[in-house]
Amino acid sequence: MKTSLKQTQMSNWKEGRKILLGVTGGIAAYKIPGLVRLIKKSNCEAEIILTNSARNFVAPMALETLAGRGVWSDENFDASIPHIKLTQWADVFVIAPCTANSLAKVARGIADNLLTSAAVAATCPLLIFPAMNENMYANKATQENIKILLDHGVKIIEPSDGALACGVSGKGRMPEPDEIMLEIFKALHPVHDMTGKKVLVTAGPTHEYLDPVRFISNPSSGKMGAAMARAAWYRGAEVKVIAGPVEINSYGFDVVHVTSASEMLEAVRENSAWADYIVKAAAVGDYRARSFEPQKIKREHKEFLTLELERNPDIAAEVGKLKRPGQILIGFAAETQNVSANAREKLARKNLDYILANDVAAEGSGFATDTNTLRLIPKDINKAEKIFSGLKEDIACEVWSDVVSL
Ligand SMILES: Cc1cc2nc3c(=O)[nH]c(=O)nc-3n(C[C@H](O)[C@H](O)[C@H](O)COP(=O)(O)O)c2cc1C
């Protein structure tokens, strides 16, 4: 199968992509209007093919309204050869949900309707989301068909365990539309050059509790770490995230949640040997309360409250000490002054390979924003420094392009 759009600019590789969406007659088709909305919201185009059976599960008019164009079905399977034209148009062909029946047909090259004919004709990447009752999924014939498709280079997204429409709980659930969208973007990513690589990312703030109800922290949202993690996942890496107390879209990642800097250090120590790349994007608190008050500190009769703080462990420096040959360490430096000089000093002191210097005082940069401006400083002084500005998720793609190619 052809790798689509190798020459796509990394910063806009998601925009305007052409998604051919095949919908078959499974109950999970009720989720498809939500998916079409997300495709449109992402500024991508969708052409939709329904099997006759799918029309019983999702109304063509709902999909036409959301897609802003007509949908295709066997009624249009005529001399205009839509099965060829649609697959030539598409950057990716997604079948969601895919019934046991359609899966079997595509695996065996049976082209007896518009959707299966298009699947047999497709030269773009084919992404299939099987969804069915757990016994149908476990059936030997279905499993053999999946194996055939995998051998043919088709990407199959395993259904998850959960409540199924047939009233039982088991393996057969189609992912939610936002998760399908992530898989589509992964399939569309211009390169998968981190396949087989393991990436450990720390993200978010830490909370250092003073008493049971109060903590010291910072405004980190975890967005930059999450963007680095997602961008590595799009490129094919296996990703583990150690996250402070923030919400991270964890689809496709293994996430370890921690609260304090000490817990984060412990989790990093446990996982650091596993990783080929370690990205230290968490905003770890530098200090914690010297003593934790087991009862809530009362305000009565206290005009002033003095806190005694002690220094937290330096996680990046600890990881630097544990670094094994070939492992790449990427740190972040959030600074408000002398950004470059301070970042260079950290790079050397913490045994990092790269540091991303971040002027958190600059407009639209730093904590809790969707945008950032970062200076990528390599340890190797023969390599050029680069400045990236824009959406955090776009910057993350550019950073990996640089780090992986170097
Ligand atoms: C109410 C109902 C729900 C169904 N749900 C599924 C399903 O989730 N997955 C599946 O593989 N088949 C399911 N089927 C069976 C398919 O609809 C049937 O195999 C059909 O022939 C599929 O046609 P298609 O693959 O051309 O869309 C269901 C059938 C009915 C009546």
Side-chain angles (χ1 to χ4, degrees):
M1 276 173 191
K2 82 177 180 213
T3 310
S4 68
L5 294 184
K6 271 222 164 75
Q7 64 278 44
T8 305
Q9 281 287 310
M10 290 306 291
S11 56
N12 63 4
W13 61 274
K14 285 179 180 172
E15 294 272 321
R17 305 308 295 275
K18 299 185 176 87
I19 299 163
L20 179 57
L21 177 59
V23 185
T24 68
I27 187 68
Y30 80 88
K31 295 180 181 175
I32 296 306
L35 175 62
V36 176
R37 280 200 68 187
L38 289 183
I39 292 173
K40 293 294 285 180
K41 227 173 123 182
S42 310
N43 293 326
C44 293
E45 288 180 65
E47 290 282 5
I48 304 167
I49 307 176
L50 298 175
T51 61
N52 284 337
S53 174
R55 296 163 69 102
N56 296 324
F57 293 91
V58 59
M61 197 185 283
L63 296 178
E64 285 173 353
T65 311
L66 292 167
R69 58 179 72 173
V71 297
W72 299 85
S73 66
D74 285 354
E75 285 171 8
N76 326 103
F77 196 13
D78 57 20
S80 66
I81 52 168
H83 59 302
I84 306 296
K85 288 188 179 149
L86 286 168
T87 49
Q88 283 172 347
W89 167 87
D91 291 324
V92 63
F93 186 8
V94 182
I95 307 182
C98 188
T99 57
N101 176 57
S102 288
L103 187 91
K105 288 184 189 175
V106 177
R108 310 284 167 163
I110 297 171
D112 65 349
N113 61 35
L114 175 54
L115 188 148
T116 52
S117 299
V120 174
T123 52
C124 60
L126 179 55
L127 189 57
I128 292 186
F129 291 82
M132 60 201 70
N133 160 276
E134 63 166 341
N135 295 332
M136 291 174 84
Y137 186 69
N139 182 286
K140 277 194 176 158
T142 304
Q143 289 303 314
E144 272 173 30
N145 291 329
I146 287 176
K147 190 172 174 311
I148 291 172
L149 289 166
L150 288 171
D151 287 347
H152 293 179
V154 174
K155 177 97 174 116
I156 306 273
I157 307 302
E158 268 197 34
S160 58
D161 258 314
L164 301 175
C166 53
V168 298
S169 185
K171 189 167 183 169
R173 255 181 128 248
M174 189 175 77
E176 297 304 314
D178 59 329
E179 298 168 342
I180 296 177
M181 210 59 226
L182 292 173
E183 293 286 0
I184 293 174
F185 285 140
K186 186 177 184 179
L188 286 170
H189 196 277
V191 288
H192 295 104
D193 51 2
M194 292 180 78
T195 304
K197 297 289 181 200
K198 297 185 171 79
V199 175
L200 182 67
V201 180
T202 68
T206 56
H207 288 182
E208 307 297 337
Y209 274 84
L210 310 173
D211 71 10
V213 295
R214 301 185 183 92
F215 55 80
I216 313 173
S217 190
N218 58 63
S220 167
S221 60
K223 285 182 182 174
M224 195 64 231
M228 288 296 292
R230 185 60 65 197
W233 182 79
Y234 285 145
R235 297 179 98 100
E238 193 182 333
V239 177
K240 206 175 264 190
V241 179
I242 298 173
V246 279
E247 273 216 16
I248 300 255
N249 181 344
S250 62
Y251 179 79
F253 307 155
D254 196 1
V255 180
V256 180
H257 279 288
V258 297
T259 303
S260 65
S262 303
E263 286 173 21
M264 188 169 278
L265 174 63
E266 207 44 52
V268 170
R269 273 195 186 130
E270 273 171 30
N271 290 287
S272 67
W274 166 88
D276 299 302
Y277 296 89
I278 301 182
V279 180
K280 299 275 313 87
V284 182
D286 287 329
Y287 289 93
R288 62 172 175 239
R290 189 153 188 207
S291 64
F292 172 79
E293 289 296 329
Q295 304 301 329
K296 184 181 170 198
I297 301 166
K298 295 284 183 198
R299 56 176 284 174
E300 285 78 18
H301 318 299
K302 275 199 196 106
E303 199 56 37
F304 301 100
L305 178 67
T306 305
L307 293 173
E308 200 174 356
L309 304 178
E310 67 180 334
R311 206 158 65 185
N312 265 329
D314 184 336
I315 300 178
E318 289 277 328
V319 175
K321 283 183 213 154
L322 297 172
K323 184 176 164 183
R324 62 169 167 77
Q327 201 171 40
I328 304 286
L329 304 187
I330 304 167
F332 278 75
E335 302 288 347
T336 52
Q337 55 183 350
N338 301 331
V339 177
S340 229
N342 288 344
R344 277 215 166 271
E345 184 277 321
K346 271 188 190 165
L347 177 83
R349 180 164 46 85
K350 300 186 183 199
N351 195 18
L352 300 170
D353 296 282
Y354 297 90
I355 198 153
L356 285 149
N358 195 179
D359 183 352
V360 287
E363 177 86 13
S365 190
F367 291 133
T369 57
D370 287 329
T371 55
N372 216 349
T373 298
L374 287 176
R375 179 185 289 265
L376 178 67
I377 307 175
K379 175 172 75 177
D380 185 344
I381 49 166
N382 297 314
K383 290 176 189 160
E385 289 186 13
K386 283 198 178 165
I387 293 181
F388 302 112
S389 204
L391 287 172
K392 285 180 175 173
E393 56 180 75
D394 292 340
I395 292 177
C397 287
E398 305 281 356
V399 169
W400 281 122
S401 289
D402 244 65
V403 168
V404 173
S405 70
L406 288 172

